[in-house]
Amino acid sequence: MRFTVEAASATPPYEQLRMQVVDAVRDGRLSAGAKLPTVRALAEELGLAANTVARAYRELEADGVVEGRGRNGTFVRASGDPVEQALQAAASSYADAVTRLSVPADAAVRAVERALRAR
């Protein structure tokens, strides 16, 4: 997931970043369990002060969108009912495995469909 900040925008950079993360979570580009870049790395990539990115992350955490796990990083939180949370976490783990294996998305979906029909 790539983030951008428009310097000429009337919206402060931390808010632009916050809104991009929220939108990405809503539309599924960032799923539950997805790890966000470190504050320092994202600040460097966007040419922002680390405090600006940290503020966006703090506000996202306060809104319940992400959770900080100390030195382990910042992750998208699972939301909704416990079944949906477990489903999102399993889907995220599967997507990670599919990516590591370089399996095309359509083949991965077919594999899941076969597994579900076999149950």
Side-chain angles (χ1 to χ4, degrees), residues 7 33 35 60 72 75 77 85 89-91 98 108 111 117:
K35 185 175 182 179
L60 287 162
N72 291 323
F75 297 82
R77 282 184 78 176
Q85 290 176 6
V98 165
R117 280 194 300 270

Side-chain angles (χ1 to χ4, degrees), residues 2 16 19 25 29 31 33 43 47 54-55 70-71 73 75 77 86 111:
R2 306 263 325 154
Q16 291 179 49
M19 289 186 314
V25 169
R29 287 177 288 145
S31 61
R55 180 173 179 183
R71 291 189 166 276
F75 297 82
R77 282 184 78 176

Side-chain angles (χ1 to χ4, degrees), residues 2-56:
R2 306 263 325 154
F3 299 104
T4 60
V5 173
E6 295 180 30
S9 175
T11 305
Y14 77 88
E15 182 63 14
Q16 291 179 49
L17 180 56
R18 189 194 70 76
M19 289 186 314
Q20 287 177 55
V21 171
V22 168
D23 289 344
V25 169
R26 279 190 185 137
D27 68 19
R29 287 177 288 145
L30 281 175
S31 61
K35 185 175 182 179
L36 297 179
T38 65
V39 167
R40 189 172 293 163
L42 188 54
E44 196 171 295
E45 179 182 325
L46 297 175
L48 298 172
N51 286 338
T52 301
V53 175
R55 180 173 179 183

Side-chain angles (χ1 to χ4, degrees), residues 54-84:
R55 180 173 179 183
Y57 279 18
R58 280 193 308 273
E59 293 199 10
L60 287 162
E61 191 163 12
D63 292 342
V65 176
V66 301
E67 62 181 329
R69 298 182 190 163
R71 291 189 166 276
N72 291 323
T74 302
F75 297 82
V76 175
R77 282 184 78 176
S79 58
D81 68 75
V83 172
E84 179 65 23

Side-chain angles (χ1 to χ4, degrees), residues 103-111 113:
V103 174
D106 58 336
V109 170
R110 284 194 306 273
E113 289 170 342

